[in-house]
Amino acid sequence: MEYITGFSELTLQKINQAGEYYVYGLIDPRNDRLFYIGKGTGNRVFHHVVESSKNPESEKEKLQTINSIEASGQHVKHILINWGLSEAEAFASEASLINLMNYISDIHLSNIVAGHHTNGCLSVEEIEKVYGAELLNIDEIIHKILVIKVNKLYNHHMSSKEVYDVVRGVWRANISKVKQVEYVLGVYNNLIVACYKPDRWYTVSDIDIEKLPQHINKDDLDNIQRRVLFECDNITSLDENQIFYLNKSIEQLGYIQKSQNPIIYINI
């Protein structure tokens, strides 16, 4: 079948009869795995390949995947999951699909954010834990804190060691600033799922490659040399402050809860 890089006008007219929006997916032909979900109109589904060709050094996982596919001599497989949608329907469909795919442990999407006005896919037990959690007030935070949002990396299947790995790094941060941090809070959907007291901070360039978190792609080392990560000598014994923060909700901390930045400092 001929590889196409855009829809004909006739095709666009027909798929737009009920609504001009659609939800699409990008698939890696090397393993037939879905790696990105999006919404759009017109020829939006094809734009990512064009973007990747213009940004070969990009650190975006989506663009790196596309560049790798193209370098192998193959092409991204484009699919329309649903079409003839209104904008509101497309937003809801995209978000629901991303949430579901991210909840399934062996599927890893390269979407940076979960979707429009969504909190992710949760079990009923997790819903109760998130929305039934005691709220953390800003005046209760008396330590130098680094909040790390792990919505994209965390899932409910993880062991305590895996949670530690996704929270500890690697992050875009200033090494001298993070060394002031007393406690690191790993936050998933507003819930503090982990609290660590770092013993050491490193930049990637200063640490043995074997000590990097397991989820870090070793092929990306050249691009992450200045990023930071921490180590704890003990992640099982918690002090009274860690116990206090753990399993509380940051829902009331508006500027932190709404921030798109995955790392936020408090009292630093």
Side-chain angles (χ1 to χ4, degrees):
M1 183 179 295
E2 180 186 358
Y3 182 71
I4 68 170
T5 57
F7 291 125
S8 66
E9 283 301 317
L10 181 59
T11 296
L12 287 175
Q13 289 175 20
K14 290 186 175 180
I15 66 175
N16 289 345
Q17 285 179 354
E20 64 177 328
Y21 280 84
Y22 55 75
V23 176
Y24 62 90
L26 305 182
I27 293 178
D28 188 336
R30 298 169 298 182
N31 51 26
D32 278 333
R33 291 180 69 88
L34 179 71
F35 67 90
Y36 186 83
I37 291 173
K39 65 184 178 305
T41 61
N43 284 309
R44 171 60 181 164
V45 61
F46 303 103
H47 289 180
H48 302 285
V49 173
V50 176
E51 183 186 1
S52 72
S53 67
K54 293 179 179 178
N55 299 276
E57 304 302 321
S58 173
E59 292 186 20
K60 289 183 180 178
E61 183 179 353
K62 171 189 65 180
L63 300 187
Q64 289 179 343
T65 300
I66 294 172
N67 282 327
S68 177
I69 293 169
E70 295 289 317
S72 74
Q74 300 189 63
H75 299 293
V76 174
K77 185 185 296 185
H78 302 89
I79 62 170
L80 293 197
I81 301 168
N82 203 352
W83 57 92
L85 306 174
S86 67
E87 183 177 20
E89 290 171 334
F91 271 129
S93 297
E94 176 200 39
S96 297
L97 285 166
I98 292 172
N99 289 344
L100 177 61
M101 294 301 107
N102 284 336
Y103 189 80
I104 299 171
S105 62
D106 61 347
I107 295 177
H108 177 72
L109 295 178
S110 57
N111 293 72
I112 297 174
V113 294
H116 186 67
H117 293 173
T118 179
N119 290 313
C121 186
L122 300 173
S123 68
V124 292
E125 292 79 11
E126 289 167 326
I127 286 285
E128 179 59 32
K129 187 178 287 187
V130 169
Y131 290 101
E134 182 181 347
L135 297 175
L136 180 64
N137 298 310
I138 193 66
D139 57 5
E140 295 178 300
I141 303 176
I142 61 174
H143 303 96
K144 295 178 179 179
I145 297 290
L146 179 61
V147 173
I148 296 181
K149 296 182 179 181
V150 291
N151 292 349
K152 184 173 171 55
L153 296 171
Y154 176 89
N155 70 64
H156 64 294
H157 299 290
M158 287 181 165
S159 66
S160 58
K161 173 62 169 64
E162 289 171 324
V163 175
Y164 167 63
D165 255 8
V166 300
V167 174
R168 73 188 186 98
V170 295
W171 306 105
R172 292 178 184 270
N174 182 287
I175 187 67
S176 61
K177 193 170 184 178
V178 294
K179 284 183 176 180
Q180 301 176 53
V181 170
E182 295 176 276
Y183 293 98
V184 175
L185 307 181
V187 174
Y188 175 68
N189 285 316
N190 295 334
L191 183 70
I192 300 171
V193 296
C195 181
Y196 302 109
K197 188 174 183 179
D199 290 295
R200 289 168 298 281
W201 285 92
Y202 304 95
T203 59
V204 172
S205 60
D206 294 330
I207 194 171
D208 188 314
I209 187 174
E210 298 304 321
K211 290 188 176 183
L212 288 175
Q214 291 299 306
H215 65 280
I216 301 302
N217 187 341
K218 304 304 188 293
D219 293 335
D220 295 335
L221 284 178
D222 290 342
N223 298 320
I224 62 173
Q225 291 297 299
R226 294 185 179 181
R227 295 192 187 185
V228 304
L229 68 159
F230 66 86
E231 279 188 334
C232 296
D233 291 332
N234 190 322
I235 63 171
T236 56
S237 298
L238 306 184
D239 66 25
E240 61 182 10
N241 296 318
Q242 290 171 285
I243 293 170
F244 171 78
Y245 290 121
L246 194 62
N247 293 322
K248 284 190 168 62
S249 170
I250 68 163
E251 184 180 359
Q252 205 158 270
L253 308 182
Y255 75 99
I256 297 172
Q257 184 256 338
K258 294 175 183 177
S259 174
Q260 292 297 312
N261 195 328
I263 65 172
I264 303 101
Y265 298 96
I266 302 177
N267 296 333
I268 297 178

